[in-house]
Structure formats: C-alpha cells, structure tokens
Amino acid sequence: MPKVRIFMSFDPDNDQDLHDLLLQQSRSRSSGFEISARSEAATMTDQRDERVRRQISEADEVIVICGEHTASSVRVNAELRITQEEQKPYFLLWGRRERMCTKPAGSKRDDSMYSWTWEILQDQIITTLRDAQPREVPERYKRP
C-alpha cells in the first residue's frame, strides 16, 4: 500500500524543531506516511502561494503543527486557507505538550487539536483521509 503524502504546515520561525521531529517520524519503516512538501521560510509572494497551492493539491492531506505562535503565523494561516480552498483533508497537531499551543486564526471552530503521540498521529492520518472520501450509497438505498 502506498504511503499517504502529507503537506506539513508549521511556523518555520518558531517551530523548526517540531518540523524535524515529524520528518524523522515519517522516515520510520512502520510509518504509513511521507512528507511530500512543507512550509518554507520564503517571502510571501504570489509565486510562493501558487507553489504552495500546487504542493497542497498534490498531497493526500495536510498536517498543521500548532505551536505557541501558530495563531499569528502568516505562513500557516495562508497554507490553511489554501488547504480549505482546495478542499484537502487536514488536522491540527498539538506540537508542544508543556506549553499552550494556538490554532491558526483561519481554523474552523470545530477543528480539534490532537495530542502528538505516535499512535494518535498514525490513527489521525488514516481517519482524516478516510473521512474525506465520498461515501458510496448502495443502489438499494437510492431513490429511483
């Protein structure tokens, strides 16, 4: 079974260590996912937005790593907006156990932030992707 392609959204100015941790976890043999693209510390331009849009559209889903300053991160908020516009499945990951992490300003009120353990990460990747799939209605339940 092919690995799930993930776009990793994070605040490069404050959470590079969290990026490194998720990247390391993705390289584990038992991992069912790979990081296909990630946030960059590049200047915000239209060209950057188009590149990010392409990378997000090519990914299977998006993981937003939330740290202390995520709510004010222009990059993370732009990436989340693009994710929502592209209708890509995503989930928020609580990046720092010992600190108060914030959701991106553009997150929906009902977006949950999940604890970051190996088991929860693996389960959430599978669940988020499964929930994004259109549900098939058996023929016997369809109206004529």
Side-chain angles (χ1 to χ4, degrees):
M1 181 172 172
K3 290 188 173 197
V4 177
R5 295 175 318 229
I6 300 291
F7 180 90
M8 181 189 344
S9 180
F10 70 102
D11 179 0
D13 298 327
N14 297 293
D15 297 323
Q16 185 66 40
D17 58 324
L18 300 176
H19 157 273
D20 297 344
L21 180 59
L22 187 59
L23 190 60
Q24 179 184 6
Q25 288 181 334
S26 74
R27 292 178 177 158
S28 164
R29 271 192 234 165
S30 61
S31 161
F33 68 100
E34 64 183 356
I35 306 301
S36 61
R38 56 182 93 44
S39 299
E40 304 169 358
T43 303
M44 301 294 291
T45 63
D46 289 343
Q47 292 83 7
R48 180 211 172 264
D49 278 359
E50 285 307 311
R51 183 174 60 251
V52 168
R53 184 174 298 280
R54 187 183 72 256
Q55 291 170 335
I56 288 173
S57 70
E58 291 172 355
D60 296 316
E61 68 183 277
V62 175
I63 296 176
V64 180
I65 303 176
C66 300
E68 294 173 278
H69 307 284
T70 302
S72 60
S73 172
V74 175
R75 286 180 191 88
V76 174
N77 283 295
E79 291 163 358
L80 181 58
R81 178 184 46 77
I82 291 168
T83 298
Q84 292 166 340
E85 288 171 358
E86 294 294 318
Q87 298 180 341
K88 282 294 178 173
Y90 67 93
F91 66 93
L92 310 178
L93 199 58
W94 189 290
R96 301 190 185 281
R97 289 184 191 178
E98 70 283 356
R99 302 216 179 109
M100 180 54 70
C101 297
T102 60
K103 292 180 178 183
S107 63
K108 297 176 183 171
R109 191 168 61 186
D110 59 343
D111 283 345
S112 298
M113 199 178 337
Y114 296 90
S115 296
W116 189 346
T117 67
W118 179 247
E119 293 80 19
I120 291 173
L121 177 62
Q122 291 285 85
D123 289 346
Q124 201 55 44
I125 288 171
I126 293 167
T127 301
T128 300
L129 196 58
R130 184 191 65 217
D131 290 349
Q133 300 299 317
R135 296 203 171 113
E136 290 190 32
V137 177
E139 285 298 321
R140 66 179 184 264
Y141 294 116
K142 292 182 181 178
R143 291 185 179 172

